[in-house]
Amino acid sequence: MNRRLLALLGFLLLVAPLATFGQASGGLLSDLTKPHDYVQKRVSSYDRTGGNDDYRPLAQGESLTLLDEAGPGEISHVWITIASDEPFHLKKMVLRMYWDGESSPSVEAPVGDFFGLGLGDYHLYQSVPLSVGGDKALNCFFPMPFQKHARLTLTNEGEQRADAVYWNIDLRAYKTPLPAETLYLHAQYRQATPNKAFPENKTNLDGKDNYIWMEATGHGHFAGVTMSIVENQDGWWGEGDDMFFVDGEKLPSINGTGSEDYFLGAWDFGGKPFAYALFGAPIVGAELQGGRWSVYRFHLDSPIPFTKSLRATIEHGHANDRGDNFYSVAYWYQNEPHASFPVLPSVETRIPHVLPVAAAQK
């Protein structure tokens, strides 16, 4: 077994206790000797006739309900794969998750972005909460508890029918309610196409024009972010610092030293892609106009708590002096109700493409 796989297994054993109720809560192996207090269930697209047509087509403008389940329970794993010839279908299909009968989803993102594929293309990588397996297998291991009800949908906002959508969703049904303090998964998509550049800026203390990963009200903790970048000009896009504003802070109590530093790489990622349990840069491009990048970091070792609000941001270039395209999904847990999400950008604007530098300075 190679050293990288051993390291990954070590991380998995350390961070397995991700949920707050009822699930295996120690090492993946050590808990096999303990009794569990749930009924294991799976909701899938299997052929109800007993045949092998274990999928559903998804027409233009239509939605599939992947799961519609009464609680209390907890989703432990979501697997989806899609057969579609439409370019950028990962950006054109939207995944939504609703907890306990809410009308506004707690998770809303293009399906590719949710699974860390923000450039609209498939690439393989492995982390603890998210991974993409050979060849187009989308996997999520974020625990998703729900007290009364859970509903997951997939909507096709593209121009072509998807011939087949397959899914397997593993969940645990509980006999007793979840603890009142149980927090719910939230995931919010954002983009800036482009970020507005301020080339004359020299300093930035208050994060006024930063790119915003997420804003939340309530109490909970930040769990991580996936982000993709398309460069609109030559040079290094990642000189921006991450800044977290907790509970209404005017100045950030958490301030980083550079974009590649936040994503736990160094020195422009060294020109090499990598993917580890809690951080990675699976796509590392050229520092040129049109360069494409994909990065992630998960705070499973150090979630960022908030009791009233959280604003998670990052500069786009030093003091926001660059105007590249950013696409991101932030992941966090909090109580309900949650604050309203920004309106999801239109399909056309979600498709990654290079923009003139002048457009980023208007």
Side-chain angles (χ1 to χ4, degrees):
M1 188 178 292
N2 65 42
R3 189 173 300 176
R4 181 173 170 182
L5 183 55
L6 283 170
L8 175 62
L9 288 174
F11 263 117
L12 287 171
L13 292 173
L14 286 171
V15 303
L18 296 176
T20 56
F21 182 76
Q23 78 173 48
S25 58
L28 294 176
L29 295 178
S30 63
D31 274 2
L32 290 177
T33 62
K34 303 173 184 178
H36 298 299
D37 60 350
Y38 57 80
V39 174
Q40 184 66 36
K41 302 179 71 175
R42 174 175 292 176
V43 177
S44 77
S45 56
Y46 80 94
D47 188 339
R48 268 58 173 173
T49 71
N52 196 38
D53 293 333
D54 297 319
Y55 60 87
R56 302 289 185 277
L58 183 54
Q60 176 191 13
E62 293 188 352
S63 295
L64 279 172
T65 297
L66 308 185
L67 180 139
D68 190 343
E69 195 76 14
E74 181 180 281
I75 298 167
S76 59
H77 172 234
V78 175
W79 170 90
I80 300 172
T81 190
I82 302 166
S84 174
D85 293 328
E86 182 167 14
F88 296 110
H89 62 267
L90 289 171
K91 301 289 286 188
K92 297 176 181 180
M93 294 186 183
V94 179
L95 181 66
R96 294 181 174 91
M97 303 183 186
Y98 303 81
W99 312 128
D100 295 350
E102 63 187 355
S103 58
S104 175
S106 291
V107 172
E108 183 178 54
V111 66
D113 290 82
F114 178 83
F115 289 95
L117 305 179
L119 295 172
D121 299 321
Y122 289 94
H123 61 261
L124 305 186
Y125 78 98
Q126 186 173 28
S127 74
V128 170
L130 298 174
S131 62
V132 181
D135 188 25
K136 298 179 179 179
L138 310 176
N139 289 276
C140 173
F141 294 93
F142 275 117
M144 307 176 196
F146 53 97
Q147 191 77 264
K148 299 178 181 178
H149 190 263
R151 182 164 62 96
L152 277 64
T153 67
L154 184 66
T155 302
N156 184 0
E157 296 184 356
E159 298 177 353
Q160 299 180 24
R161 158 187 157 124
D163 292 331
V165 178
Y166 296 78
W167 67 90
N168 284 297
I169 300 175
D170 297 309
L171 63 94
R172 294 155 182 180
Y174 298 127
K175 296 179 181 178
T176 58
L178 278 63
E181 67 272 16
T182 300
L183 303 178
Y184 295 78
L185 175 69
H186 291 72
Q188 182 179 112
Y189 174 79
R190 298 237 182 175
Q191 68 178 46
T193 53
N195 281 291
K196 184 177 180 180
F198 298 88
E200 302 304 318
N201 279 7
K202 301 301 181 185
T203 60
N204 177 25
L205 294 175
D206 60 5
K208 176 184 175 183
D209 298 303
N210 287 7
Y211 177 78
I212 298 174
W213 282 324
M214 56 80 78
E215 291 181 290
T217 59
H219 70 83
H221 46 255
F222 185 79
V225 64
T226 60
M227 192 167 81
S228 296
I229 302 96
V230 174
E231 292 199 41
N232 288 325
Q233 62 190 92
D234 292 351
W236 170 232
W237 65 269
E239 207 58 44
D241 298 348
D242 58 291
M243 299 182 185
F244 290 84
F245 301 80
V246 180
D247 294 339
E249 292 172 332
K250 302 301 182 184
L251 298 176
S253 56
I254 297 175
N255 202 134
T257 57
S259 302
E260 79 272 47
D261 307 346
Y262 171 74
F263 292 102
L264 302 186
W267 304 111
D268 307 12
F269 298 119
K272 299 180 292 293
F274 57 91
Y276 298 116
L278 300 182
F279 63 95
I283 301 295
V284 172
E287 295 177 25
L288 299 170
Q289 185 182 59
R292 294 157 60 88
W293 307 69
S294 185
V295 293
Y296 64 87
R297 179 177 178 184
F298 299 115
H299 292 252
L300 308 189
D301 60 317
S302 55
I304 300 174
F306 57 96
T307 59
K308 297 178 181 178
S309 66
L310 179 67
R311 183 162 59 98
T313 76
I314 191 168
E315 293 178 308
H316 40 97
H318 171 65
N320 301 314
D321 65 353
R322 286 184 61 95
D324 300 305
N325 298 341
F326 284 8
Y327 312 85
S328 67
V329 175
Y331 311 84
W332 75 96
Y333 286 82
Q334 71 158 92
N335 63 335
E336 292 287 359
H338 61 268
S340 298
F341 284 17
V343 175
L344 193 69
S346 66
V347 172
E348 296 76 16
T349 63
R350 297 199 299 257
I351 307 305
H353 60 280
V354 175
L355 294 168
V357 173
Q361 297 179 3
K362 291 183 179 179

